[in-house]
Amino acid sequence: MSIRKILDFKHPALRTKAKKVARVDGSAVRLLDDLVETMYAAPGAGLAANQIGVALRAIVVKGDENQHHALINPELVKAEGSQIGYEGCLSYPGWVGEVERAEQVVVKGLNRKGKPVRIKASGFTARAFQHEIDHLDGILFTDRLTGLETLRPAEEYETELEAVKA
């Protein structure tokens, strides 16, 4: 496992649709391991393979209780409800913006052993799955902003959150 460099939003690899992984072998498992290690080191809530310059359909998403999901060839098979919230991106460091996403999703893909899995997620985890699958399709969160005026420095947003909590 190794920590990989995360490409920033200007890199053309982030606008390219990733290719399906033909089979889950040692190199695919190493890719998942590198994604996990890189995501936790960043730290982030998810990471797609093209964010580290690998044009293959592989993602990791941090779930509840510090678990993570690592998927090859993930697909969104069901999306219900709506949530609007701020999200950021490891490829767009220091910025957040308001994005509308489905509240609940079902995602299918292959696990690190090549076995089919289906994952039901809601709330923040559902948001993270949608965000990472978008990356695999060449879509950035800034493409889905509810309005350009919602894009702002993360520090400013975090300050406002702290003020509300006080």
Side-chain angles (χ1 to χ4, degrees), residues 12-76:
L14 295 176
R15 291 299 187 176
T16 304
K17 190 169 181 166
K19 293 179 172 51
K20 276 194 155 194
V21 175
R23 70 180 202 273
V24 180
D25 57 12
S27 65
V29 171
R30 280 190 298 280
L31 173 59
L32 290 175
D33 289 343
D34 287 354
L35 286 169
V36 169
E37 189 165 348
T38 303
M39 175 187 71
Y40 280 113
L47 193 63
N50 53 347
Q51 288 182 273
I52 61 169
V54 179
L56 293 173
R57 297 189 77 79
I59 63 169
V60 294
V61 168
K62 195 185 299 183
D64 299 327
E65 299 175 18
N66 238 12
Q67 299 174 354
H68 65 266
H69 305 282
L71 292 177
I72 299 287
N73 299 331
E75 293 177 49
L76 189 63

Side-chain angles (χ1 to χ4, degrees), residues 79-141:
E80 294 181 330
S82 176
Q83 61 171 309
I84 296 176
Y86 275 80
E87 61 188 68
C89 180
L90 294 174
S91 292
Y92 215 111
W95 291 85
V96 296
E98 188 180 74
V99 177
E100 183 172 6
R101 301 274 188 191
E103 173 63 30
Q104 298 151 346
V105 299
V106 176
V107 177
K108 74 175 185 176
L110 302 174
N111 68 14
R112 60 188 298 108
K113 294 180 180 176
K115 303 292 183 205
V117 294
R118 290 174 83 84
I119 300 165
K120 292 180 184 177
S122 61
F124 184 80
T125 305
R127 175 179 293 281
F129 271 117
Q130 292 167 86
H131 180 110
E132 299 313 327
I133 291 171
D134 271 357
H135 270 302
L136 298 179
D137 293 327
I139 299 167
L140 299 177
F141 85 102

